[in-house]
Amino acid sequence: MSEDQVWNLEIRLARMEERQVQLYKMVERSLSNYADVVNRVSSLEHLRTKALAIAGIAGLICSMAWDLFRGRFNN
């Protein structure tokens, strides 16, 4: 191989290494974004569970109050 061919190979290898580093960074960023989305969905599911529990308790209280109100005025 001539000196020019070796030099061209060195340049190509350096570019390939640079691309590989860029790809690793892209994969890391993508995985961190995925983890962020998973965390947000998990917190939304937790919030939904709390909202359903509060709605159930509010429904129970309203139902009991309605039964008491209806019982007092129907007699």
Side-chain angles (χ1 to χ4, degrees), residues 22-39:
Q22 288 175 349
L23 286 173
Y24 280 137
K25 287 180 182 178
M26 288 171 62
V27 168
E28 287 176 355
R29 190 178 318 122
S30 175
L31 288 175
S32 73
N33 288 341
Y34 175 74
D36 186 42
V37 168
V38 168
N39 288 338

Side-chain angles (χ1 to χ4, degrees), residues 47-57:
L47 183 63
R48 182 190 69 161
T49 303
K50 282 184 178 179
L52 288 174
I54 290 170
I57 291 171

